[in-house]
Every structure is written in C-alpha cells, then in structure tokens.
Amino acid sequence: MKIGFVGLGKMGKGIVTHLLKEGVEVVCWNRSRDDIDEVVTKGAVGTQSHKELISKLTSPRIVWLMVPQGTPVDEMIDLLTPHLSSGDLIVDGGNSFYKDTIRRHVELIKKGIRFMDVGVSGGPSGALNGACLMVGGSKKDYKLIAPILKLIAAPGALAHLGDVGAGHFAKMVHNGIEYGMMEAIAEGAAVLKESRFNFNLSKVFDLYNQRSVIESRLVEWAKEAFSDGENLGDISSIIEATGEGEWTVKTATELGVDVPVIKKSLQIRKDSTNMPDNFRNRVVSALRGKFGGHSVKKPN
C-alpha cells in the first residue's frame, strides 16, 4: 500500500510513523523541511514539492491532508488538484467544518477528483498507536482507502458513518461533548480541592477511574495532571477554544437543539482570557495538554 501525506504536525507525524510501522509506503511533503527530514529517518519518502509528491504516486492516487482547518485546506487543495488525475482521492483528516467539507466535495467532483473526510480522535498518542476514525464519503471511496484506515485505527475504532461531511460532523459533535466533559471534571476537581477534607486529588481521580460510572480517559488524564503537581501552578488558566465547540453550538441552534452544557463550557473558554487565574480553568488547560499535546504552560 502507498499513500501521499501532506501536513506533518503532531498528529500528522504520528499517523505517518504508525503507517510506516505497518509497512505502508508513505510519500510526504510539508512546508517545513525539518519535519520531512524527521519522518524520512523513519522510512518515509520525502519530497521537495507538492508536484514531486504527486509524481511519486500511482493512480488512483490517495493524498491525505493533515493541515489546519479553513483557508489552509482550500489552499492545499488548490495546489494539488491541477496535478491530480480523474479518480484520484483527497482525504481531509483535519478538523474541518462539515459544511466546508461538503462544499469542497462539490467543487472537486466537477473535476473528477474524489474527496473524503476523516475525523481523527485520540491525540498524538492515538495517531501513533491507534486512533478513533470517523469517516464520511461514498462506499466506493471508503472501499479504496479502508485497508489504510484499518491500520491507522485502534481495534474497533473505525466506522464509515455516511456521505461526505458525516465524518467531520461526528468529530465536531465529539469535540463539543469533550468541552462539556472537561468542564465538569474541572468543576468537580475544584469542589474537591476547596473542601475540608484535604483530598489527594490524584488519588481521588485514580479511584474514580476504577470501575466507577465516570471512568474514562479524561479522568485518567486528570489523575496524571494532578500527579505532576496538584495545584497545577505552572498551567495557564486561559483555555483555548479551537472552533469545534463553537461549530457544535452553531449547528445545534440551526437544528433547533438546545445544548446548554456545551454552550456554557464554550463561553467559559472564551471568557477565560479575562478571568483571574483560577484552579478550575487550569484543570481544563491541563487536560488539553495531556491528551492533545497543546501548549498550556504559563508564559515565562
């Protein structure tokens, strides 16, 4: 199996490394040469340009994009499509808004280029060791790329959910749910911390993760964060909101669905920039650092 790969951030490098370990030939291009050189040492084929990347693939070519949502995706598609052939497939593995995904599909299909969306969850560790993949696209296109998706996914963590846009829609809602869950964990931790009982938070959250109703990976990451330093003193209480939570709230409004928990957790993130430093928000930041490798340290 062979695939072209564009975008070598934390997630991109993890997926490429994972595929190489599974014996897939991966041809890479990235705007930063250092990132290309890094994956080349692991067995990837590096290229100097998007044109060279496409020239090293055979039809029907599969090109996976792992670039930031919005304009960067459109710019990359515009670079690639003049050099692709009818029947080639572009896969957007980033966190794109589902309406943008549908628009891109409509534009590409006119040129004979196939397009799919894959929502990827699990953070850098999931990319490297087995992620959860939410896939949108035609059955024909899914069949073409399924052997590669099965290698990227953790056992049981792959589903073709519907037509183009379905994968990114499911990932959008996933991240909206994530906002609410993280906020609830942070609020609970803050209540524990302020109680009269002088709880060891790492111990409490370790206990919560032993067959309790709230057992989860997020609770495990909270335990790890408290083990690093219970007050989270070096963690910023400013919480980044990267788009998916807002998209979920906007889409829910369009569909006539009330989502008060997700909406409030999104607003807290937006307001965190102007809030005094506080433990609750530091917990959310610490969780983002644990599962996503996000930069959450206080500035020096």
Side-chain angles (χ1 to χ4, degrees), residues 2-279:
K2 191 173 186 178
I3 187 171
F5 205 97
V6 178
L8 297 172
K10 294 188 294 291
M11 294 294 290
K13 285 180 188 175
I15 292 175
V16 168
T17 302
H18 189 166
L19 287 173
L20 292 170
K21 289 179 180 178
E22 295 289 346
V24 177
E25 185 177 356
V26 186
V27 182
C28 295
W29 179 65
N30 192 72
R31 293 188 187 277
S32 169
R33 185 68 215 183
D34 289 344
D35 293 320
I36 297 175
D37 293 340
E38 182 178 339
V39 295
V40 166
T41 64
K42 299 174 182 179
V45 177
T47 59
Q48 299 289 335
S49 68
H50 60 285
K51 295 179 184 179
E52 185 184 359
L53 177 138
I54 293 170
S55 72
K56 290 183 178 295
L57 301 172
T58 54
S59 294
R61 303 175 182 90
I62 300 173
V63 181
W64 185 297
L65 305 184
M66 208 72 182
V67 299
Q69 63 88 14
T71 301
V73 179
D74 289 314
E75 289 178 345
M76 196 56 62
I77 289 173
D78 289 344
L79 276 178
L80 293 170
T81 48
H83 310 286
L84 293 172
S85 303
S86 179
D88 290 346
L89 172 64
I90 296 175
V91 181
D92 182 2
N95 283 329
S96 290
F97 185 43
Y98 81 99
K99 289 185 178 180
D100 290 335
T101 299
I102 294 170
R103 169 182 57 79
R104 290 166 185 143
H105 170 63
V106 170
E107 293 169 354
L108 286 169
I109 205 69
K110 295 175 184 176
K111 302 174 183 178
I113 307 299
R114 301 149 78 178
F115 190 64
M116 293 187 71
D117 52 301
V118 179
V120 182
S121 178
S125 64
L128 187 61
N129 301 302
C132 175
L133 304 183
M134 307 159 219
V135 186
S138 72
K139 292 180 179 179
K140 178 182 178 181
D141 293 347
Y142 179 74
K143 185 176 180 180
L144 174 65
I145 197 174
I148 288 174
L149 295 177
K150 289 174 182 177
L151 295 177
I152 298 171
L158 167 65
H160 179 211
L161 299 176
D163 293 335
V164 171
H168 281 157
F169 192 100
K171 180 57 164 51
M172 173 188 72
V173 175
H174 162 284
N175 283 28
I177 293 169
E178 179 186 287
Y179 274 40
M181 291 175 68
M182 291 169 68
E183 180 61 27
I185 288 170
E187 291 173 8
V191 174
L192 287 166
K193 188 174 187 298
E194 294 302 316
S195 77
R196 57 186 282 191
F197 297 106
N198 193 29
F199 286 112
N200 179 317
L201 294 183
S202 179
K203 184 176 182 180
V204 173
F205 275 82
D206 183 51
L207 179 62
Y208 284 166
N209 225 32
Q210 307 302 323
R211 306 298 295 165
S212 86
V213 172
I214 62 170
E215 179 182 10
S216 67
R217 297 182 75 190
L218 283 170
V219 169
E220 174 67 20
W221 282 315
K223 184 211 79 172
E224 290 180 8
F226 295 134
S227 296
D228 294 340
E230 192 142 308
N231 288 323
L232 309 177
D234 62 342
I235 302 296
S236 173
S237 67
I238 296 175
I239 315 164
E240 185 179 355
T242 53
E244 296 90 345
E246 183 136 28
W247 298 340
T248 305
V249 172
K250 177 182 177 182
T251 302
T253 300
E254 291 174 356
L255 297 174
V257 179
D258 191 22
V259 287
V261 172
I262 299 173
K263 187 175 183 178
K264 182 62 176 178
S265 62
L266 170 64
Q267 192 60 50
I268 288 171
R269 291 190 180 206
K270 290 181 175 181
D271 292 344
S272 68
T273 302
N274 299 314
M275 287 182 184
D277 180 70
N278 69 84
F279 178 77

